[in-house]
Amino acid sequence: MDYLIYSIEDDKDISKIINKTLSKQGYEVVSFYDGKSFFEALKDRTPQMILLDMMLPDYSGSEILKIIRSNPKYDDVDIIIVSANRMVMDKVDGLDLGADDYIEKPFDLLELMSRVNAKARRHKRSKVLSTRDLFLDLDKHVCICNNKEISLTVKEFQILAFLLENKGNVVPREDILNHIWGDTDVLESRTVDMHIKSIRSKLLDDSYIQTIYGIGYKVM
């Protein structure tokens, strides 16, 4: 399952339980014991979900929520608060700051799995493709790169979506032609090259789409 969860929990025993439980469900779980290490990792990879303890040694859960929800790049990241704090106002404040759900400690493992699975199913239905700071919302037909909306033509959007759907794999030019245009008898492979050149120009970064010479293109 290509689904990354960041668990921020300073209690190492609870952290291990969360990691082991969800890893067995097929999720990729990365654990952090403080906010600093979490934010360092967030620079390199964006998770689909964050499990957040509200009481951490360096940051408060509220601070982390504010930082994440102030950045549109993380709008599609589900955040579930996992906290021992039973104060109703703290729960309400967490939800008001942008948390999607709240689980009280001590929690039942079946409840944890159920909540996580429910959010994961919803995320799959959202149809958002991404790599690094590039996000493609298939339902809204919106492209976001480095927190800026990028205007793509219909064909450019379709090509980029096709590459993202095959992320990590080399996609031959002929496959792109067949998938996007269907009838390729009157088209040449340079048609794809011209569209890729335009996409790269609009993204202001050639590194999102790699050229595999003599074959086609790849997105990592």
Side-chain angles (χ1 to χ4, degrees):
M1 181 184 294
D2 185 17
Y3 194 97
L4 175 62
I5 297 175
Y6 280 170
S7 171
I8 317 170
E9 170 60 64
D10 65 336
D11 186 314
K12 294 186 178 181
D13 290 332
I14 295 177
S15 179
K16 288 178 182 178
I17 291 173
I18 291 174
N19 194 310
K20 185 176 182 179
T21 300
L22 297 180
S23 294
K24 284 185 176 180
Q25 293 291 305
Y27 298 106
E28 179 183 358
V29 185
V30 181
S31 301
F32 306 95
Y33 303 128
D34 54 54
K36 181 180 179 181
S37 59
F38 159 73
F39 281 118
E40 284 298 318
L42 193 62
K43 294 177 183 177
D44 297 323
R45 296 182 69 191
T46 299
Q48 280 73 44
M49 181 182 293
I50 296 170
L51 301 180
L52 176 63
D53 181 18
M54 295 298 281
M55 305 294 289
L56 297 168
D58 50 359
Y59 288 82
S60 70
S62 296
E63 288 175 320
I64 292 177
L65 274 168
K66 288 178 181 178
I67 292 171
I68 294 174
R69 288 311 186 210
S70 66
N71 191 335
K73 174 183 176 181
Y74 306 120
D75 283 352
D76 293 318
V77 177
D78 285 316
I79 302 176
I80 299 180
I81 294 173
V82 183
S83 178
N85 198 327
R86 293 178 175 81
M87 293 294 289
V88 175
M89 285 307 299
D90 285 339
K91 179 178 180 179
V92 172
D93 288 344
L95 296 174
D96 284 345
L97 287 172
D100 298 283
D101 205 347
Y102 191 105
I103 300 176
E104 289 185 0
K105 300 176 186 174
F107 54 83
D108 182 87
L109 292 181
L110 290 177
E111 179 188 9
L112 175 67
M113 289 188 293
S114 177
R115 299 281 188 96
V116 169
N117 289 337
K119 297 297 180 185
R121 286 194 297 270
R122 190 191 73 175
H123 183 91
K124 284 184 175 181
R125 292 196 298 269
S126 68
K127 297 182 181 179
V128 175
L129 305 174
S130 66
T131 181
R132 291 159 48 198
D133 296 322
L134 175 62
F135 298 85
L136 213 62
D137 189 317
L138 302 184
D139 291 332
K140 298 178 182 178
H141 209 272
V142 171
C143 175
I144 302 292
C145 185
N146 287 317
N147 300 324
K148 295 181 180 179
E149 185 170 340
I150 308 298
S151 178
L152 299 175
T153 67
V154 173
K155 295 301 184 188
E156 289 169 354
F157 190 93
Q158 291 173 344
I159 290 172
L160 188 54
F162 189 46
L163 291 174
L164 284 169
E165 286 170 349
N166 292 276
K167 186 167 67 173
N169 298 318
V170 180
V171 183
R173 289 178 175 84
E174 292 74 17
D175 288 358
I176 298 175
L177 282 170
N178 285 321
H179 183 78
I180 305 301
W181 282 275
D183 182 5
T184 61
D185 292 339
V186 295
L187 296 173
E188 300 178 3
S189 61
R190 64 179 181 179
T191 300
V192 174
D193 298 338
M194 291 171 59
H195 280 77
I196 294 292
K197 182 179 179 180
S198 178
I199 294 171
R200 283 172 167 164
S201 176
K202 292 180 178 181
L203 297 179
L204 301 177
D205 188 342
D206 291 349
S207 67
Y208 286 108
I209 304 175
Q210 299 179 16
T211 299
I212 310 301
Y213 291 99
I215 303 177
Y217 298 94
K218 178 170 69 172
V219 167
M220 294 297 294

